[in-house]
Structures are given as structure tokens and as C-alpha cells.
Amino acid sequence: MGKRFKRISVVMIAHYISLTWRSALCVTLLIIWLGGIINGSESILYHFEEHGFLMGILWVLFMGEMIARFFPSGIRSPGCQKQFAHNFKKTGNTEIMVADNHATVLVVFAWILFNGFFGALHMVGVLNDDFMLLLCSLFSVGDMICILFFCPFQSWFFKNRCCVSCRIYNWDFAMMFTPLFFVPGLYTWSLLGVAIVLLVVWEIMFFLHPERFSENTNAFLSCDGCTEKLCRHKRQLRSLWKKNEQFFTKRIRLLKG
């Protein structure tokens, strides 16, 4: 049991804590949103205005996570810290190899179109501010699912080894808060604004120091230097899924025959 516990890294624990509270928030907002549709009860915005401290707490939590990304830390994923000079460890290779920039552009357009669809519906009055806040919360849960379980950007676009080598790791908050563009307010736009600054700083560092983002030139991105051990976690999940699949396949065959 002790040996298994050591397999769980500090970074992994932090991921699961984020997944837990973000999921709880999302379920709560979903219940309020559905209650407003079915029973005509108060909206999400009404609850935030009525209990201003709740919005303040959420703002501090998300803003704190973003501000922390501007500084190196040992309790966050190496994937969001490769831009720092402190984390650049030369491999001896000089050929810079990073994810295909065509895939990056494709992700940008796909995300703009996806959010533009909901934004257009919001602008014509089909969707309200509550839905955009709920969508934002769904994205925040999806962000953790991408890290811990399955990432469509990794599997379908970049084909990168893991989150540590992810080309767009620090885009997550900007993508998460995109729906807030359609919900004007100090809290909402300040979150989106800082998220965009985080993305811009990331891209500037990528342009100035691409060698820090390449597994071929930066040993910090190697498996030996990883403090997250996320790949081991995902392998265990895939193994469990495969065992369950084999079990149910065998049961179906027995029932048929």
C-alpha cells in the first residue's frame, strides 16, 4: 500500500483537488441553471450577486492559479513551466523539434468557431449569461479531464508524447474563460484579461526561446526529470479499461453460448 501511495505525485494530488472543486462548482451551476429553466427560480448571476463572497472566492481561486503560472514552482506540472530559463537543461542537441504549428493554427480556428457559435446564440438572445458561465465551468472541468484522463488536442491534433511536451499548455485558462467575453463585468473580464496575458507571455517566450519547448534540446522535458508521472497514471487507467473490456467480452460470450 505504501509503495502504491508513493506513486501519487504532489502534482497529481493538486490535479485531483482541482478536478474535485471544479466538478462540484459545475454541478452546482448546472442545478441552478436547470432550476431557472424548469421552475423559473433565481439565475446564477442572481446567486452570485446575492452572495458576493462566493464570486470573490471563485475569483481568487482562479486568479491565484493564473498568477502562480507566471513563476516557477515545484508543485505544478512541468508542462506549464518549460518557458522559464531556470528550467532549461541542455541535452547537447541543437535541433529544435516542437509540435506542428499548422496544428496550433487549426486549434485556434476550431476553438474560435466553437465558441463563436455559442456567442452568436447569446448575442441574439437564444442563450443568456447563465449559460455562458455554465459553459465556462464545463470547460474548467474539461481542462482537468484533458490532463488526467484523455486530451483530444494531444490525440487528434499535436500527437505529442504527454502534457509535459504540450505546445499549448498555458492556453488552458484563455480557452477556459473564452465564454466570459460575452458576460461583461469586473470579475469576468479581469479573469479573461489575465488569462490572455498568460497566453501572450507563453507565446512570446516560445518565439524567443523555442529551445526551451523542445524535448530534443531541453532535458527538463524528459521522463527522468518529470515530477508529474502522469503517463504512468494514464497507463494504469488504460490497463484497467482493457481488463474491464476483456471481462465483459468474456461474459457476453458465455451468455450467448
Side-chain angles (χ1 to χ4, degrees), residues 184-250:
L186 177 62
Y187 285 119
T188 53
W189 279 7
S190 59
L191 288 174
L192 178 59
V194 173
I196 291 173
V197 171
L198 185 64
L199 183 153
V200 170
V201 170
W202 175 270
E203 288 303 305
I204 289 174
M205 295 307 295
F206 176 78
F207 178 77
L208 295 176
H209 301 285
E211 70 280 359
R212 299 178 187 176
F213 293 75
S214 172
E215 299 174 71
N216 198 47
T217 53
N218 188 1
F220 178 72
L221 306 182
S222 68
C223 294
D224 292 336
C226 181
T227 58
E228 194 169 27
K229 305 304 179 186
L230 186 61
C231 57
R232 183 165 53 197
H233 171 69
K234 287 186 174 180
R235 280 199 300 269
Q236 289 172 341
L237 289 175
R238 284 195 296 268
S239 176
L240 179 62
W241 179 265
K242 188 173 182 179
K243 288 179 181 178
N244 287 336
E245 187 177 25
Q246 290 173 346
F247 172 78
F248 285 111
T249 300
K250 184 183 291 186

Side-chain angles (χ1 to χ4, degrees), residues 105-231:
V105 174
L106 185 59
V107 168
V108 171
F109 278 108
W111 195 252
I112 290 175
L113 288 173
F114 182 77
N115 285 274
F117 171 75
F118 293 105
L121 293 178
H122 177 273
M123 292 175 68
V124 299
V126 175
L127 300 176
N128 58 14
D129 289 348
D130 280 6
F131 181 85
M132 304 310 285
L133 291 172
L134 177 60
L135 185 62
C136 179
S137 183
L138 287 169
F139 287 164
S140 74
V141 175
D143 176 49
M144 300 314 303
I145 290 175
C146 284
I147 292 173
L148 292 169
F149 306 112
F150 172 76
C151 178
F153 301 107
Q154 175 187 358
S155 300
W156 301 339
F157 291 93
F158 296 108
K159 312 292 184 182
N160 51 299
R161 175 173 54 85
C162 67
C163 290
V164 173
S165 59
C166 180
R167 164 69 178 83
I168 61 171
Y169 199 111
N170 268 11
W171 289 24
D172 57 343
F173 282 106
M175 298 175 79
M176 184 192 313
F177 294 140
T178 301
L180 297 185
F181 175 80
F182 302 98
V183 187
L186 177 62
Y187 285 119
T188 53
W189 279 7
S190 59
L191 288 174
L192 178 59
V194 173
I196 291 173
V197 171
L198 185 64
L199 183 153
V200 170
V201 170
W202 175 270
E203 288 303 305
I204 289 174
M205 295 307 295
F206 176 78
F207 178 77
L208 295 176
H209 301 285
E211 70 280 359
R212 299 178 187 176
F213 293 75
S214 172
E215 299 174 71
N216 198 47
T217 53
N218 188 1
F220 178 72
L221 306 182
S222 68
C223 294
D224 292 336
C226 181
T227 58
E228 194 169 27
K229 305 304 179 186
L230 186 61
C231 57

Side-chain angles (χ1 to χ4, degrees), residues 34-156:
L34 290 174
I37 293 176
I38 298 171
N39 302 319
S41 56
E42 290 83 1
S43 67
I44 293 174
L45 286 174
Y46 173 84
H47 282 278
F48 280 146
E49 291 171 359
E50 187 73 11
H51 308 283
F53 69 95
L54 292 177
M55 186 62 185
I57 291 173
L58 292 175
W59 186 88
V60 168
L61 285 172
F62 282 119
M63 187 63 75
E65 283 192 45
M66 287 192 290
I67 296 299
R69 289 279 185 92
F70 289 99
F71 307 96
S73 170
I75 60 172
R76 291 194 308 280
S77 170
C80 66
Q81 301 190 72
K82 50 182 171 274
Q83 75 273 29
F84 300 116
H86 172 76
N87 293 328
F88 179 56
K89 306 183 188 305
K90 296 181 179 179
T91 62
N93 298 322
T94 57
E95 184 182 3
I96 298 172
M97 301 170 61
V98 293
D100 188 357
N101 276 326
H102 293 296
T104 306
V105 174
L106 185 59
V107 168
V108 171
F109 278 108
W111 195 252
I112 290 175
L113 288 173
F114 182 77
N115 285 274
F117 171 75
F118 293 105
L121 293 178
H122 177 273
M123 292 175 68
V124 299
V126 175
L127 300 176
N128 58 14
D129 289 348
D130 280 6
F131 181 85
M132 304 310 285
L133 291 172
L134 177 60
L135 185 62
C136 179
S137 183
L138 287 169
F139 287 164
S140 74
V141 175
D143 176 49
M144 300 314 303
I145 290 175
C146 284
I147 292 173
L148 292 169
F149 306 112
F150 172 76
C151 178
F153 301 107
Q154 175 187 358
S155 300
W156 301 339

